[in-house]
Coordinates of all heavy atoms in Angstrom, one line a residue:
R303 N -7.6 -4.6 -13.2 CA -7.8 -4.9 -14.6 C -9.2 -5.4 -14.8 O -9.8 -6.1 -14.0 CB -6.8 -6.1 -15.0 CG -5.4 -5.7 -15.0 CD -4.9 -5.2 -16.3 NE -3.7 -4.4 -16.3 CZ -2.5 -4.8 -16.2 NH1 -2.2 -6.1 -16.1 NH2 -1.5 -3.9 -16.1
G304 N -9.8 -4.8 -15.8 CA -11.2 -5.2 -16.1 C -12.2 -4.3 -15.5 O -13.4 -4.4 -15.8
V305 N -11.8 -3.4 -14.6 CA -12.7 -2.5 -14.0 C -12.9 -1.3 -14.9 O -11.9 -0.7 -15.5 CB -12.2 -2.0 -12.6 CG1 -13.1 -0.9 -12.0 CG2 -12.0 -3.2 -11.7
A306 N -14.1 -0.9 -15.1 CA -14.4 0.3 -16.0 C -13.7 1.5 -15.6 O -13.6 1.8 -14.4 CB -16.0 0.5 -16.0
L307 N -13.3 2.3 -16.6 CA -12.5 3.5 -16.3 C -13.3 4.5 -15.5 O -12.8 5.2 -14.7 CB -12.1 4.1 -17.7 CG -11.1 5.3 -17.5 CD1 -9.9 5.0 -16.7 CD2 -10.7 5.9 -18.9
D308 N -14.6 4.6 -15.8 CA -15.5 5.5 -15.0 C -15.4 5.1 -13.5 O -15.4 6.0 -12.6 CB -16.9 5.4 -15.5 CG -17.2 6.1 -16.8 OD1 -16.2 6.9 -17.2 OD2 -18.2 5.9 -17.4
A309 N -15.5 3.8 -13.2 CA -15.4 3.4 -11.8 C -14.0 3.7 -11.2 O -13.9 4.1 -10.0 CB -15.7 1.9 -11.7
L310 N -13.0 3.5 -12.0 CA -11.6 3.8 -11.5 C -11.5 5.3 -11.2 O -10.8 5.7 -10.3 CB -10.6 3.3 -12.5 CG -10.4 1.8 -12.6 CD1 -9.3 1.5 -13.7 CD2 -10.1 1.2 -11.3
N311 N -12.0 6.1 -12.1 CA -12.0 7.6 -11.9 C -12.7 8.0 -10.7 O -12.2 8.8 -9.9 CB -12.5 8.3 -13.1 CG -11.6 8.2 -14.3 OD1 -10.4 8.0 -14.2 ND2 -12.1 8.4 -15.5
A312 N -13.9 7.4 -10.4 CA -14.6 7.7 -9.2 C -13.8 7.2 -7.9 O -13.8 8.0 -7.0 CB -16.0 6.9 -9.2
L313 N -13.2 6.1 -8.0 CA -12.4 5.6 -6.9 C -11.2 6.5 -6.7 O -10.9 6.9 -5.5 CB -11.9 4.2 -7.2 CG -11.1 3.5 -6.1 CD1 -11.9 3.4 -4.8 CD2 -10.7 2.1 -6.6
L314 N -10.6 7.0 -7.7 CA -9.4 7.9 -7.6 C -9.8 9.2 -6.9 O -9.0 9.7 -6.1 CB -8.8 8.1 -9.0 CG -7.5 8.9 -9.0 CD1 -6.4 8.1 -8.2 CD2 -7.0 9.1 -10.4
T315 N -11.0 9.7 -7.2 CA -11.4 11.0 -6.6 C -11.7 10.8 -5.1 O -11.6 11.8 -4.4 CB -12.7 11.6 -7.3 OG1 -13.8 10.6 -7.0 CG2 -12.5 11.8 -8.7
R316 N -11.9 9.6 -4.6 CA -12.1 9.4 -3.2 C -10.8 8.9 -2.5 O -10.8 8.5 -1.3 CB -13.2 8.3 -3.0 CG -14.5 8.9 -3.4 CD -15.6 7.7 -3.5 NE -16.9 8.2 -3.9 CZ -17.3 8.4 -5.1 NH1 -16.5 8.3 -6.1 NH2 -18.5 8.8 -5.3
S317 N -9.7 8.9 -3.2 CA -8.4 8.4 -2.7 C -7.5 9.6 -2.3 O -7.8 10.8 -2.7 CB -7.7 7.6 -3.8 OG -8.5 6.5 -4.1
V318 N -6.4 9.3 -1.6 CA -5.5 10.3 -1.1 C -4.1 10.0 -1.5 O -3.7 8.8 -1.4 CB -5.6 10.4 0.4 CG1 -4.6 11.4 1.0 CG2 -7.0 10.7 0.9
A319 N -3.4 10.9 -2.1 CA -2.0 10.7 -2.5 C -1.1 10.8 -1.2 O -1.3 11.7 -0.4 CB -1.5 11.8 -3.5
R320 N -0.2 9.9 -1.0 CA 0.7 9.9 0.1 C 2.1 9.8 -0.3 O 2.4 9.2 -1.4 CB 0.4 8.7 1.0 CG -1.0 8.6 1.5 CD -1.2 9.4 2.8 NE -2.6 9.1 3.3 CZ -3.2 10.1 3.9 NH1 -2.7 11.3 4.1 NH2 -4.4 9.8 4.4
S321 N 3.0 10.3 0.5 CA 4.4 10.2 0.2 C 5.2 9.8 1.5 O 4.8 10.3 2.6 CB 5.0 11.5 -0.3 OG 6.3 11.5 -0.6
Y322 N 6.1 8.9 1.4 CA 6.8 8.4 2.5 C 8.3 8.4 2.2 O 8.8 8.1 1.1 CB 6.4 6.9 2.8 CG 5.0 6.8 3.1 CD1 4.0 6.6 2.1 CD2 4.5 6.9 4.4 CE1 2.7 6.4 2.4 CE2 3.1 6.8 4.7 CZ 2.2 6.6 3.7 OH 0.9 6.5 3.9
E323 N 9.1 8.8 3.2 CA 10.6 8.8 3.1 C 11.1 7.5 3.6 O 10.4 6.7 4.3 CB 11.1 10.0 4.0 CG 10.8 11.3 3.4 CD 11.2 11.5 2.0 OE1 12.3 11.2 1.6 OE2 10.4 12.1 1.2

Side-chain angles (χ1 to χ4, degrees):
R303 294 265 158 83
V305 176
L307 187 56
D308 287 347
L310 290 179
N311 288 337
L313 184 59
L314 189 62
T315 63
R316 292 170 179 81
S317 301
V318 178
R320 302 274 186 214
S321 182
Y322 301 90
E323 293 304 316

